[in-house]
Amino acid sequence: APIPHELRRHDPNTCPDCSAVPANPPIALPAANELAAAARKSPVLRNMVACGRWATGGRAVTKHGFPTPANTRSLAAALGIEVPDSIRDPHGHLGLLRSWWLALDAEVVQLHRAEVVAGPALAAVEQALADTADPDHTLGVWKDIADIAVTGPMVAKDSRVAELDEFVRPWGPRALGELYRADD
């Protein structure tokens, strides 16, 4: 079915009804070394390394692919997250669940049969956090993980979900652009 008019995307840059096209004020980015140093301080990257190192020896998971209750507690401890005793898997704690899914989606950890093990991306993230890492490598790893955190992984989907995904994908960047313009 066609998208109802009231739900169609509004693009202020091409809208004939908008009198003035909003302009993005210019910004100056710091040098790549400074950006890489800021990325190395990212709690997200540090959480990814903590998840990967936690899974290095292999940890048992449930049939649904989540850590067992005991392993959920040890994962939370590895991430520095305090969880109540009632939490039996990452579903019970939003921060823990987000870190778990991001580590899986970024392939820092991966499920293998009845356990979770360190994934192929762990080495790249560890290397990115090293003070001697090439700034381009650090920024590339940070960007890849940030993209997954913001937009989710790109996976094959059925056509209906793919259409919805295509329709929704520009909303995040547009919202950030509007916030940027509003705050100068």
Side-chain angles (χ1 to χ4, degrees):
I3 298 169
H5 178 70
E6 64 271 10
L7 297 178
R8 291 181 192 240
R9 294 185 203 145
H10 174 73
D11 187 352
N13 295 324
T14 60
C15 177
D17 298 326
C18 292
S19 59
V21 176
N24 290 330
I27 61 166
L29 288 177
N33 289 340
E34 292 177 48
L35 290 172
R40 283 186 200 101
K41 295 177 184 173
S42 166
V44 172
L45 288 184
R46 297 203 179 278
N47 280 352
M48 294 300 96
V49 169
C51 282
R53 289 181 180 165
W54 169 83
T56 297
R59 303 283 185 140
V61 294
T62 65
K63 65 182 179 180
H64 300 291
F66 290 104
T68 61
N71 283 331
T72 295
R73 298 212 185 304
S74 66
L75 174 60
L79 293 172
I81 297 173
E82 290 189 32
V83 295
D85 292 337
S86 61
I87 302 297
R88 300 194 46 79
D89 67 37
H91 266 116
H93 190 280
L94 186 59
L96 192 57
L97 183 63
R98 285 182 176 163
S99 293
W100 175 252
W101 279 120
L102 183 57
L104 282 170
D105 292 341
E107 296 183 351
V108 173
V109 299
Q110 61 188 108
L111 297 174
H112 180 70
R113 296 190 177 129
E115 63 182 7
V116 62
V117 296
L122 176 59
V125 178
E126 287 177 323
Q127 182 184 2
L129 286 176
D131 288 334
T132 58
D134 175 41
D136 290 335
H137 172 75
T138 300
L139 293 172
V141 168
W142 180 85
K143 180 195 173 301
D144 291 344
I145 290 176
D147 283 347
I148 293 170
V150 172
T151 63
M154 297 301 291
V155 294
K157 302 173 184 170
D158 69 40
S159 63
R160 292 172 297 158
V161 173
E163 289 173 15
L164 179 61
D165 185 50
E166 186 277 327
F167 177 74
V168 172
R169 190 162 293 278
W171 291 359
R174 284 192 177 142
L176 291 174
E178 291 301 318
L179 287 171
Y180 176 76
R181 282 191 277 270
D183 194 25
D184 289 333

